[in-house]
Amino acid sequence: MARSALLNVMVQAALKAGKSLGRDFGEVQNLQVSVKGPGDFVSTADRKAEKIVKEELLKARPTYGFLGEESEEIKGTDGAHRWIVDPLDGTTNFLHGIPAFAVSIALERNGEIVAAVVFNPATDELYTAERGGGAFLNDRRLRVAARRALSDCVIGCGVPALGKRNHGKFLVELRHVMGEVAGIRRLGSPTLDLAYVAAGRFDGFWEAELAPWDMAAGILLIREAGGFATDWDGGATMLESGTIVAGNEIIHKALIEVVKRPVPAK
């Protein structure tokens, strides 16, 4: 596949940060770990990876803004472009030696995601997409799954961690979805969950209370793989609302209806 100069910059930044994470993975017992909040850990590996990504991206495009999980937002001087970065999505997996984590980089132009890179250094899987150019996994073209009935589907989700709100609300959603689908999976990395939808591994995905860096790259991957990714009302406020539902056209619509199903009266 042919990549633009911008996508090449993003890929190189992700691979360089991934190499650093790969060296630290498996050595988690020796990492200096601090608690950022209940169930939300941040390690030296997080900060080091974000520093690498930020330096690579801003060196190539110094006028662009930068929004990352581990540092203050930088407002770009050009006013149109912003990098949205999660240097280590799936930190808890990483710290437990579970090989489901990723570097996520998205480029936003005038409010639209136009390029995306997701890299899991533990599996050497590189997901890329550019608006209008398709989505790829290690240069293989991706398409979302074509299943048309929820009863045949495996659906990904996020589970609220310790300290998060709405545990009871999620359990209601889970009960509703469980009654309609073939199976439910939780990877512990929304970035990879969305990439799995783009790759056709998951038929759909839903989650609430996500940050922009959890979703930005995955949204474009899914759309460029022929799928739909919206907020829970079918709109485009995912980065603002923190909610997302994804799948092919039929499953996306059906999943929204199930997730938003009201709680039965007692």
Side-chain angles (χ1 to χ4, degrees):
M1 58 167 285
R3 294 179 183 148
S4 70
L6 272 173
L7 190 60
N8 276 326
V9 166
M10 296 166 68
V11 167
Q12 291 309 308
L15 293 178
K16 190 171 182 180
K19 185 175 181 180
S20 174
L21 291 174
R23 285 193 296 264
D24 289 333
F25 185 61
E27 301 294 334
V28 294
Q29 303 300 329
N30 301 321
L31 289 177
Q32 177 186 348
V33 179
S34 61
V35 177
K36 189 167 61 175
D40 189 9
F41 303 101
V42 61
S43 69
T44 54
D46 272 296
R47 300 189 185 98
K48 187 162 54 175
E50 180 158 313
K51 183 174 184 291
I52 290 169
V53 172
K54 182 185 291 186
E55 287 177 352
E56 290 292 311
L57 297 180
L58 295 183
K59 179 174 65 176
R61 296 293 189 275
T63 64
Y64 288 11
F66 185 95
L67 177 64
E69 183 177 12
E70 304 302 340
S71 60
E72 292 293 323
E73 182 175 3
I74 297 172
K75 298 291 185 180
T77 58
D78 84 340
H81 295 87
R82 179 171 68 159
W83 302 112
I84 303 177
V85 173
D86 193 339
L88 175 51
D89 185 51
T91 305
T92 301
N93 285 347
F94 182 88
L95 293 174
H96 286 78
I98 301 169
F101 58 90
V103 182
S104 175
I105 304 173
L107 176 62
E108 183 183 59
R109 177 180 297 139
N110 295 320
E112 295 288 334
I113 306 301
V114 296
V117 172
V118 172
F119 178 53
N120 181 351
T123 59
D124 200 32
E125 290 189 328
L126 176 69
Y127 298 84
T128 58
E130 290 187 272
R131 190 168 63 179
F136 297 83
L137 169 55
N138 293 345
D139 295 335
R140 177 177 60 82
R141 185 71 179 260
L142 296 180
R143 296 295 298 177
V144 294
R147 294 179 183 87
R148 301 172 65 86
L150 278 176
S151 58
D152 296 327
C153 291
V154 170
I155 303 295
C157 71
V159 177
L162 178 67
K164 294 286 188 179
R165 301 172 298 163
N166 296 324
H167 284 214
K169 182 175 180 295
F170 168 75
L171 290 174
V172 173
E173 296 160 13
L174 181 63
R175 184 176 68 195
H176 289 161
V177 177
M178 284 172 59
E180 301 285 347
V181 304
I184 294 177
R185 302 290 183 269
R186 196 257 188 174
L187 288 181
S189 167
T191 292
L192 287 180
D193 283 313
L194 294 171
Y196 275 27
V197 174
R201 295 172 176 174
F202 289 171
D203 298 284
F205 176 79
W206 94 96
E207 191 167 359
E209 296 191 73
L210 291 175
W213 46 79
D214 294 321
M215 297 183 280
I219 289 167
L220 186 65
L221 285 171
I222 289 169
R223 289 176 173 172
E224 289 299 320
F228 288 71
T230 70
D231 59 34
W232 285 20
D233 293 317
T237 70
M238 295 82 71
L239 302 189
E240 294 78 27
S241 69
T243 67
I244 190 167
V245 177
N248 66 32
E249 183 176 10
I250 293 171
I251 298 306
H252 167 262
K253 181 179 179 181
L255 190 56
I256 285 180
E257 292 177 358
V258 175
V259 168
K260 295 181 66 177
R261 187 178 295 164
V263 179
K266 293 184 178 179

